């Protein structure tokens, strides 16, 4: 099939590349000319396991192209995916300006029937707005071209995006014509060969499904973080409690890890966008508001522990930070807890020496670019030299079993603040560390 994907970010680049890998002809379009130029030189702008090899392979064999020219891309495709960002607006709602700008370009440029598929995460009712925007442009051109608008929310996880896309748990399609469902079934059948994972529904329900999934996951995290905070105060150990409840199959072990808050480009904005939609429709979503509130506070739990131990004035003190990305296996730092923790500490005079396997460039060039008190190093051990304490914020695999002798030798004092409860307390005790974790006194 011939496909265009508008927006070549985490979702667009992964989707386009995976469609190409299955034998489709894909043109990825982005307005960022620099990004397109780099992609054409073989430079993949983001880190995702297995992505670079697949991009290069499909670009070389001609099944994947990159361009800034949406007109040519629409001419050469029958299906057009919208995969641009939907960042949080001032009032918490999803900002649809990029999605609607793409819809306008589609209306201005399409020359034949097109399946317009919305893959961006968008509030209920957006497909109607996309349809109206495309139609308005067609009317201006006195064109009677027909088109279908389809909702196809994306459930991939950064850090495992290629794997998730190639082997999806489900493919949710919202449409209002049989031909649209059929086209999507055909496109996705190579990805769901093992068993049918195609879930067809109406468009509004498909739009709502994505927000509901993210809100549920964020709720599990905030719930467990709240339990962790109670455990800490009553003298229980949340790690043991987690084991105790996870064994109940109705609860399960996944997504109930206590930690220093969720970040990323999805949960924070999607929980707030859903809450805003709800309020706009006259319903106060008490639970969703609380999920966000708990997370806001949770991002400050580790810096508060550091401040409680070392005092409000941290000037002249250096702390080692392990992990900058919002989660492991990605370079994405959007809404990462590391930004909050580092800024809380440096605003009190601390210096930070930070290491991350993939996200240092993002931190240095964008998210912490104005913070002169942060130094970046290329090895986790170098971050420790003469630092007051080590602060672990992202659960990268390389942090799981570190050389504790080396940590003890390099730190000024043997103190670890563990924002992800990575270490076994018995092992830590052998080395005589002072060990602070989430949800344990
Ligand atoms: N990142 C994730 O893990 C994830 C997972 C599921 C769903 N989503 C959703 O998918 C959407 C995209 O997210 P992302 O993380 O890939 O965003 P991103 O910011 O990484 O990428 C968006 C891209 O769109 C481009 N763009 C903006 N306007 C454009 C236009 N008019 N024409 C062409 N390109 C344009 C930008 O230059 C950028 O490259 C969002 O709605 C997000 O909520 C993201």
């Amino acid at each position: 099939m011939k496909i265009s994907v508008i927006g070549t970010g985490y979702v667009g680049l992964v989707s386009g590349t995976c469609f190409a890998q299955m034998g489709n002809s894909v043109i990825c379009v982005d307005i960022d000319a620099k990004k397109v130029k780099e992609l054409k030189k073989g430079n993949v702008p983001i880190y995702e396991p297995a992505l670079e090899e697949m991009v290069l392979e499909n670009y070389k064999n001609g099944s994947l192209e990159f361009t800034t020219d949406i007109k040519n891309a629409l001419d050469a495709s029958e299906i057009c995916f919208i995969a641009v960002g939907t960042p949080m607006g001032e009032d918490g709602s999803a900002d649809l300006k990029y999605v609607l700008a793409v819809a306008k370009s589609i209306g201005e440029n399409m020359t034949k029937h097109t399946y317009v598929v919305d893959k961006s995460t968008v509030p209920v009712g957006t497909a109607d707005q996309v349809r109206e925007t495309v139609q308005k442009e067609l009317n201006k051109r006195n064109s009677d071209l027909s088109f279908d608008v389809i909702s196809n929310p994306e459930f991939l996880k950064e850090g495992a995006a290629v794997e998730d896309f190639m082997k999806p748990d489900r493919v949710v399609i919202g449409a209002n014509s049989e031909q649209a469902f059929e086209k999507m079934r055909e496109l996705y059948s190579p990805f769901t060969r093992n068993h049918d994972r195609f879930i067809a529904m109406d468009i509004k329900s498909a739009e709502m499904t994505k927000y509901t999934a993210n809100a549920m996951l964020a709720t599990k995290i905030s719930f467990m973080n709240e339990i962790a905070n109670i455990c800490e105060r009553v003298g229980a150990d949340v790690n043991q409690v987690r084991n105790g409840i996870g064994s109940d199959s109705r609860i399960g072990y996944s997504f109930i890890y206590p930690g220093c808050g969720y970040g990323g480009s999805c949960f924070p904005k999607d929980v707030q966008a859903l809450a805003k939609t709800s309020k706009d429709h006259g319903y106060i979503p008490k639970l969703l508001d609380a999920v966000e509130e708990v997370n806001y506070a949770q991002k400050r739990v580790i810096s508060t522990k550091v401040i409680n131990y070392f005092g409000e004035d941290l000037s002249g003190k250096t702390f080692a930070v392990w992990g900058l990305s919002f989660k492991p296996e990605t370079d994405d730092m959007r809404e990462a807890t590391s930004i909050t923790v580092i800024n809380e500490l440096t605003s009190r005079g601390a210096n930070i020496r930070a290491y991350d396997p993939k996200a240092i460039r993002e931190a240095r060039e964008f998210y912490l670019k104005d913070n002169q008190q942060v130094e970046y190093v290329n090895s986790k051990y170098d971050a420790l030299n003469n630092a007051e304490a080590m602060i672990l914020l992202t659960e990268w695999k390389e942090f799981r079993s570190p050389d504790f002798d080396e940590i003890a030798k390099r730190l000024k004092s043997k103190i670890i603040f563990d924002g992800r409860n990575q270490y076994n307390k018995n092992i830590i005790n052998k080395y005589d560390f002072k060990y602070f974790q989430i949800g344990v006194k």
Side-chain angles (χ1 to χ4, degrees):
M1 287 186 177
K2 298 196 184 316
I3 299 167
S4 52
V5 180
I6 320 296
T8 312
Y10 284 86
V11 166
L13 184 58
V14 170
S15 313
T17 306
C18 292
F19 284 135
Q21 184 77 10
M22 287 298 188
N24 299 290
S25 291
V26 180
I27 305 180
C28 285
V29 183
D30 207 286
I31 39 166
D32 184 340
K34 193 169 154 228
K35 190 181 264 190
V36 169
K37 195 170 156 203
E38 288 301 315
L39 279 162
K40 284 180 161 180
K41 284 197 268 179
N43 296 328
V44 176
I46 54 171
Y47 173 73
E48 259 307 317
L51 181 63
E52 188 169 279
E53 301 86 297
M54 259 169 78
V55 169
L56 297 180
E57 180 191 327
N58 286 286
Y59 183 57
K60 261 191 213 142
N61 70 26
S63 48
L64 184 61
E65 288 176 50
F66 301 105
T67 182
T68 53
D69 186 344
I70 188 166
K71 183 167 181 14
N72 284 346
L74 287 167
D75 279 346
S77 57
E78 52 177 327
I79 306 173
C80 174
F81 280 90
I82 303 178
V84 295
T86 46
M88 190 158 58
E90 297 262 303
D91 58 359
S93 61
D95 186 343
L96 292 177
K97 66 172 180 270
Y98 302 111
V99 170
L100 296 179
V102 174
K104 187 167 184 292
S105 299
I106 295 172
E108 286 166 345
N109 292 298
M110 64 189 258
T111 50
K112 56 176 188 286
H113 177 277
T114 302
Y115 293 93
V116 179
V117 190
D118 190 4
K119 204 170 239 324
S120 297
T121 302
V122 290
V124 174
T126 303
D128 292 340
Q129 289 190 55
V130 167
R131 187 177 298 107
E132 280 160 26
T133 308
V134 174
Q135 190 60 55
K136 201 167 144 197
E137 294 309 313
L138 289 174
N139 293 347
K140 280 190 203 165
R141 292 161 53 197
N142 290 323
S143 162
D144 59 0
L145 284 174
S146 63
F147 61 98
D148 280 88
V149 176
I150 298 168
S151 168
N152 171 214
E154 181 49 59
F155 297 96
L156 63 76
K157 302 182 286 294
E158 282 179 28
V162 170
E163 200 187 328
D164 285 350
F165 199 94
M166 295 301 274
K167 292 183 197 153
D169 291 334
R170 75 289 213 194
V171 174
V172 170
I173 299 292
N176 52 16
S177 80
E178 210 29 63
Q179 78 171 5
F181 283 124
E182 266 321 297
K183 189 51 82 179
M184 290 297 106
R185 249 183 224 288
E186 204 185 316
L187 175 65
Y188 277 107
S189 65
F191 297 90
T192 55
R193 279 170 67 88
N194 178 275
H195 65 268
D196 190 15
R197 290 147 205 239
F198 194 89
I199 305 177
M201 57 178 77
D202 66 75
I203 292 178
K204 286 188 173 168
S205 302
E207 290 172 331
M208 189 67 188
T209 298
K210 174 65 192 177
Y211 281 103
T212 307
N214 276 358
M216 180 72 210
L217 295 170
T219 301
K220 284 184 98 173
I221 298 173
S222 277
F223 171 81
M224 208 55 201
N225 283 336
E226 188 147 270
I227 295 296
N229 294 333
I230 301 172
C231 284
E232 207 166 313
R233 282 158 182 81
V234 299
D237 177 337
V238 73
N239 300 312
Q240 296 178 38
V241 173
R242 191 188 86 83
N243 265 328
I245 64 163
S247 55
D248 182 333
S249 61
R250 294 168 304 174
I251 297 173
Y253 288 105
S254 60
F255 260 78
I256 56 167
Y257 285 93
C260 51
Y262 59 75
S265 70
C266 294
F267 294 172
K269 80 172 171 59
D270 292 350
V271 169
Q272 288 179 68
L274 182 56
K276 180 68 174 56
T277 301
S278 174
K279 285 169 195 162
D280 288 347
H281 287 77
Y283 179 75
I284 305 293
K286 297 186 198 69
L287 201 53
L288 295 179
D289 284 345
V291 167
E292 164 58 23
E293 221 175 288
V294 168
N295 195 56
Y296 179 89
Q298 200 65 20
K299 284 179 157 186
R300 286 152 182 84
V301 164
I302 279 286
S303 45
T304 303
K305 283 177 192 278
V306 174
I307 294 158
N308 285 346
Y309 187 83
F310 287 97
E312 276 288 336
D313 181 7
L314 299 175
S315 43
K317 294 187 167 30
T318 296
F319 295 92
V321 165
W322 282 12
L324 294 165
S325 56
F326 86 92
K327 69 170 180 179
E329 299 296 327
T330 180
D331 59 351
D332 198 344
M333 275 191 67
R334 288 178 280 189
E335 305 281 336
T337 296
S338 63
I339 303 170
T340 307
V341 173
I342 288 174
N343 287 335
E344 287 281 320
L345 298 180
T346 56
S347 71
R348 288 168 174 83
N351 292 313
I352 300 292
R353 205 176 301 115
Y355 168 75
D356 186 282
K358 296 288 175 194
I360 287 177
R361 191 182 66 87
E362 288 290 299
R364 186 184 272 138
E365 291 181 17
F366 303 104
Y367 295 95
L368 291 164
K369 110 170 163 308
D370 297 325
N371 194 331
Q372 305 305 320
Q373 285 150 261
V374 188
E375 178 197 347
Y376 301 96
V377 289
N378 292 326
S379 117
K380 58 180 179 285
Y381 296 118
D382 285 351
L384 305 167
N385 295 340
N386 220 21
E388 307 288 338
M390 185 268 263
I391 305 172
L392 188 142
L393 298 177
T394 317
E395 60 274 42
W396 283 93
K397 282 198 193 81
E398 71 167 273
F399 301 153
R400 280 206 199 148
S401 274
D403 180 341
F404 286 106
D405 279 326
E406 193 68 26
I407 299 179
K409 205 166 75 193
R410 294 200 187 211
L411 282 177
K412 198 167 176 178
S413 32
K414 291 202 269 179
I415 305 175
I416 294 177
F417 292 91
D418 184 351
R420 300 292 173 188
N421 291 11
Q422 285 289 283
Y423 303 123
N424 180 313
K425 219 172 171 179
N426 296 334
I427 300 178
I428 289 278
N429 284 344
K430 271 205 310 209
Y431 292 87
D432 204 21
F433 279 99
K434 216 170 206 352
Y435 184 49
F436 297 88
Q437 40 176 338
I438 305 286
V440 185
K441 210 170 185 175

